[in-house]
Amino acid sequence: QVQLVESGGGSVQAGGSLRLSCAASSYTYSRKCMGWFRQAPGKQREMVAFIYTNAGSTYYADSVKGRFTISQDIAKNTVYLQMNSLKSEDTAMYYCAADAKISSCVTFSPAEFADWGQGTQVTVSS
């Protein structure tokens, strides 16, 4: 099992930026699909952004396209989520997730992901 440690959450005003980091405890290529879900109070966990680590292909929810960018530093076994032009509706707990199955980067079903971080809170005030 891969341990994932998140950092970078916090509070920011609407229009501001934050960068989340997710450091994996082992070689990220063993986890082909890595990225972020988020969950707001009373809502289901939803896909935000993912990267297929072998090829660097990226996937985004429509709600964050053009504002969020996911990237990876293979040498550091770390995935980043740069969040710009933040909106109040981006307020949620953000969870890093990873899985060895390529198919996880197709379905983006939380139930398919084997590895999870502890979560980091992002609060955007308007």
Side-chain angles (χ1 to χ4, degrees):
Q1 188 175 8
V2 173
Q3 290 186 322
L4 304 175
V5 178
E6 301 138 334
S7 60
S11 297
V12 66
Q13 289 192 330
S17 299
L18 286 172
R19 189 176 81 153
L20 306 183
S21 299
C22 175
S25 63
S26 64
Y27 191 39
T28 53
Y29 275 16
S30 70
R31 292 298 184 262
K32 294 179 171 59
C33 184
M34 286 187 65
W36 302 85
F37 288 95
R38 68 185 181 187
Q39 188 167 19
K43 295 188 176 181
Q44 289 189 332
R45 194 165 294 192
E46 63 176 0
M47 175 270 199
V48 178
F50 276 84
I51 188 165
Y52 175 47
T53 58
N54 286 23
S57 307
T58 57
Y59 310 88
Y60 296 94
D62 288 343
S63 59
V64 307
K65 281 180 182 176
R67 300 188 298 121
F68 291 11
T69 302
I70 189 168
S71 61
Q72 62 177 341
D73 185 330
I74 296 170
K76 294 183 178 180
N77 291 341
T78 300
V79 171
Y80 303 97
L81 184 66
Q82 178 66 43
M83 305 185 294
N84 298 329
S85 302
L86 282 161
K87 305 175 180 180
S88 57
E89 50 263 44
D90 295 318
T91 296
M93 185 71 79
Y94 283 69
Y95 296 92
C96 181
D99 195 70
K101 301 186 300 294
I102 299 173
S103 59
S104 295
C105 264
V106 175
T107 64
F108 302 114
S109 171
E112 294 296 317
F113 283 78
D115 305 306
W116 290 86
Q118 77 283 4
T120 186
Q121 178 67 38
V122 171
T123 302
V124 184
S125 57
S126 56

